[in-house]
Amino acid sequence: MAALLEVTDLKVEFSTRYGDVTALDGVSFSLDEGETLGVVGESGCGKSITALAVMGLIPAPPGRISAGSIRFQGEELVGAREGRLRRLRGRDIGMIFQEPMTSLNPVFRVGDQIAEAILLHQDVSRTEAAKRAIELMKTVGIPEPASRARAYPHELSGGMRQRVMIAMAISCRPKVLIADEPTTALDVTVQAQIFDLMRQIQEDYGVAIIMITHDMGAIAEMADRVAVMYAGRMIEEGRADAILDHAGHPYTQGLIACIPALDPEVAAADRPPPLAEIPGIVPPLHLLGKGCAFAARCDRAFAACTDMPALKGGPHAVACHAHEPQQQPTAGGA
């Protein structure tokens, strides 16, 4: 069965004062119905640009999709007319943007903003759209939804604003939901509530989710499969349990090592060991060379890393010259 969403060899470029800069280089992944794909990496690795490309929201100029394919239910979206993309956004592909305070319009009531998405894609009256907006606010766990619908964004807490964004994203029951850092700046209790809400929405509507994050803890909580990005490229991809247990790329290993260990003995120690960190920063895209972009930060780099490693390895793919694929057991168990 064909994937619900399939991205193949996607390349996105931006015109800058340094010339044409490649923000995404050969990104490929697929998403099946009801599946959660976690896209993980530090800021500047290309996660949000990938989401914007799928939504057809790359600002042009200065950006453009220069190569590759994005197919939704078999339909090619690269090069599609803007009118067609507008019909898909919200109705078939929804998105929870990273910062609700800047994504919500500050001069309109939140209920009206949810209703607007419904009116855009469904043949209903304004009264019916307003009623559905209140029902959606109740669905996402906003107390007293009728009164909250009349509030402006600044009158709601961060968690409430994020729930409004989720209500907008699911207002037309999309087949794909892209969640771009859905728990940014929220405390851990609210984060857990948002994750529970997303799981419930997936269970109720059968929606497929692309969850963009820098937090491997969130990946462990939510994802079925994981795509690790670095400097605009996919460097590791596979099932979440396989990557969390046997990460192959040094960058992925570093992200996992940065998760604080809840070890009672360590917590009780007078001087617990310092948290692990990945040295250095993601390099500016206009300064990338022809080799592995992570080499300058990697303690396993060697001569071969001056050439760009390919993503290979089957179900658990890794783009690293130093990676040695684990032996898979044969059918007979030998």
Side-chain angles (χ1 to χ4, degrees):
M1 184 175 64
L4 178 63
L5 177 69
E6 191 165 7
V7 176
T8 307
D9 295 330
L10 184 65
K11 185 174 184 178
V12 174
E13 296 179 331
F14 284 85
S15 298
T16 73
R17 60 179 177 173
Y18 304 106
D20 290 343
V21 172
T22 301
L24 295 182
D25 190 4
V27 170
S28 298
F29 63 88
S30 63
L31 182 70
D32 293 328
E33 293 182 10
E35 181 181 38
T36 299
L37 173 69
V39 181
V40 65
E42 295 170 277
S43 297
C45 286
K47 307 183 302 298
S48 294
I49 292 295
T50 301
L52 293 176
V54 171
M55 295 288 289
L57 293 175
I58 296 293
R64 63 190 177 277
I65 297 176
S66 56
S69 170
I70 302 172
R71 301 185 71 86
F72 173 70
Q73 292 185 317
E75 177 185 358
E76 179 60 61
L77 301 186
V78 175
R81 292 181 179 274
E82 179 61 24
R84 175 56 180 154
L85 294 175
R86 283 181 179 272
R87 289 192 295 273
L88 285 172
R89 294 188 203 116
R91 187 189 69 183
D92 295 306
I93 305 176
M95 186 165 177
I96 306 168
F97 290 92
Q98 185 169 353
E99 177 45 64
M101 195 58 200
T102 56
S103 299
L104 293 170
N105 193 318
V107 300
F108 288 98
R109 301 178 193 274
V110 294
D112 293 338
Q113 296 187 57
I114 299 171
E116 181 183 14
I118 299 169
L119 287 167
L120 184 63
H121 295 289
Q122 299 181 14
D123 185 16
V124 297
S125 66
R126 289 190 174 275
T127 301
E128 179 63 23
K131 180 181 177 181
R132 291 190 188 181
I134 293 172
E135 291 173 351
L136 283 164
M137 293 179 71
K138 181 179 180 181
T139 297
V140 298
I142 295 177
E144 302 179 3
S147 61
R148 297 287 186 182
R150 297 191 295 272
Y152 292 94
H154 72 274
E155 297 178 301
L156 302 179
S157 67
M160 289 296 178
R161 288 194 294 266
Q162 193 63 283
R163 291 172 188 269
V164 170
M165 291 295 298
I166 294 173
M168 293 175 65
I170 66 170
S171 60
C172 297
R173 297 196 177 185
K175 297 178 176 64
V176 174
L177 180 62
I178 302 174
D180 188 0
E181 301 277 8
T183 57
T184 295
L186 302 180
D187 62 58
V188 292
T189 302
V190 178
Q191 287 182 30
Q193 293 172 355
I194 296 297
F195 287 154
D196 288 342
L197 175 58
M198 291 174 64
R199 276 192 292 264
Q200 189 61 51
I201 289 169
Q202 189 171 48
E203 182 179 328
D204 292 343
Y205 300 154
V207 65
I209 296 175
I210 298 176
M211 191 180 72
I212 296 171
T213 182
H214 62 272
D215 183 359
M216 290 301 290
I219 290 295
E221 181 82 11
M222 291 290 296
D224 300 311
R225 286 191 303 114
V226 182
V228 183
M229 294 191 67
Y230 188 78
R233 294 176 62 91
M234 205 80 78
I235 60 168
E236 187 161 3
E237 193 272 337
R239 289 198 56 80
D241 53 359
I243 288 180
L244 290 168
D245 292 339
H246 305 288
H249 198 285
Y251 179 64
T252 311
Q253 294 168 2
L255 290 176
I256 295 172
C258 290
I259 301 174
L262 300 179
D263 187 332
E265 295 183 2
V266 172
D270 292 335
R271 296 179 64 86
L275 292 174
E277 64 176 355
I278 303 173
I281 60 173
V282 179
L285 295 177
H286 69 280
L287 296 180
L288 293 180
K290 296 184 179 298
C292 175
F294 187 64
R297 307 174 67 186
C298 182
D299 59 6
R300 295 167 58 188
F302 63 113
C305 298
T306 55
D307 294 325
M308 183 66 71
L311 185 67
K312 57 185 179 181
H316 183 173
V318 180
C320 179
H321 292 300
H323 174 63
E324 298 180 1
Q326 294 192 358
Q327 294 294 322
Q328 300 295 321
T330 62

